[in-house]
Amino acid sequence: MTNAVIECILSRSATKYYDPTATLSDDQIRELVRIGTTAPTSFHLQNWRFIAVRTPEAKARLSPIAWSQPAITEAAVTFIVCGQLADSSVVPERLAPLVEAGIMPAKMVPEWEIPARDLYMEYPQRQRDEAVRTGTFGAAAMIYAALSLGLGSTPMIGFDAEAVHREFGLTKDEVPVMLLSVGTVRPGNWPQKPRRPVADVLNLV
């Protein structure tokens, strides 16, 4: 069982060493984010935002609050992947393009909005959990898209979340889920590390 997509997934590894002279164009950055936003979200909330830290000045602001990890300054771009607290009130707005395109009948919109409200409105922890899930799904799509384009990536949780929140103007409903560096790989990186056997992690019931 193999094809180009599976081979891409099986060959992915976190990049440690980047070519610091390589850059990505704004169009390339936009394309990575466009692909990331095709990942699934609960009730089609699309509750995410991506801050592309790509200039030397922005990298200098991020580096000291991200443990001075080399990827921040050496990779072409580091995305601050922001998940937004799940908010059921935006469901009609987010579903409107589906209705306009004839994908979803208008009468179905309340059938999504009401359960979303019941699931999230009175449950702050669920709202935050959904923000983290959403950001993670988007970042994962970008990781594999980057590899398919011949780029490396490094997801990172080593940063001061409160400082990132302040320095980059996140709103009160946004959670900095992770940093994701993307750029041109240089020699010296490890291949994908061996994983635990499937028998150790799978229960067939």
Side-chain angles (χ1 to χ4, degrees):
M1 182 174 63
T2 186
N3 58 41
V5 174
I6 293 173
E7 286 300 319
C8 178
I9 293 170
L10 293 179
S11 64
R12 183 218 60 83
S13 63
T15 299
K16 185 174 182 180
Y17 303 111
Y18 289 95
D19 177 356
T21 67
T23 60
L24 291 178
S25 70
D26 287 357
D27 283 345
Q28 289 174 302
I29 291 171
R30 290 188 187 98
E31 181 64 3
L32 283 172
V33 172
R34 186 191 70 80
I35 294 167
T37 60
T38 66
T41 63
S42 180
F43 295 99
H44 203 53
L45 288 172
Q46 304 172 80
N47 50 316
W48 40 32
R49 187 163 69 96
F50 304 85
I51 301 171
V53 178
R54 73 202 198 292
T55 65
E57 295 78 14
K59 291 178 180 181
R61 290 164 55 202
L62 180 59
S63 180
I65 55 177
W67 301 2
S68 298
Q69 296 177 79
I72 302 296
T73 52
E74 294 181 1
V77 60
T78 294
F79 295 96
I80 303 172
V81 180
C82 305
Q84 298 167 333
L85 302 180
D87 177 7
S88 60
S89 71
V90 305
V91 169
E93 171 196 334
R94 301 291 157 81
L95 295 182
L98 281 73
V99 175
E100 293 168 7
I103 297 170
M104 170 184 281
K107 66 180 181 180
M108 189 179 287
V109 172
E111 297 175 14
W112 286 41
E113 182 182 8
I114 292 169
R117 184 176 63 221
D118 293 342
L119 182 62
Y120 297 121
M121 182 173 285
E122 301 299 327
Y123 301 95
Q125 185 63 52
R126 290 181 187 175
Q127 294 173 21
R128 191 181 191 285
D129 289 348
E130 202 58 61
V132 173
R133 267 192 292 268
T134 295
T136 302
F137 280 143
M142 293 167 68
I143 286 169
Y144 293 116
L147 182 58
S148 74
L149 296 171
L151 301 168
S153 65
T154 311
M156 295 174 284
I157 60 169
F159 59 92
D160 181 332
E162 292 183 2
V164 167
H165 212 284
R166 290 192 306 270
E167 183 67 29
F168 290 90
L170 275 63
T171 63
K172 64 180 182 180
D173 71 329
E174 290 181 325
V175 178
V177 175
M178 72 178 74
L179 306 178
L180 177 62
S181 292
V182 177
T184 299
V185 179
R186 63 182 172 90
N189 288 283
W190 291 353
Q192 188 177 91
K193 297 181 286 295
R195 287 333 200 233
R196 296 169 62 192
V198 171
D200 290 356
V201 300
L202 172 64
N203 283 2
L204 296 170
V205 297

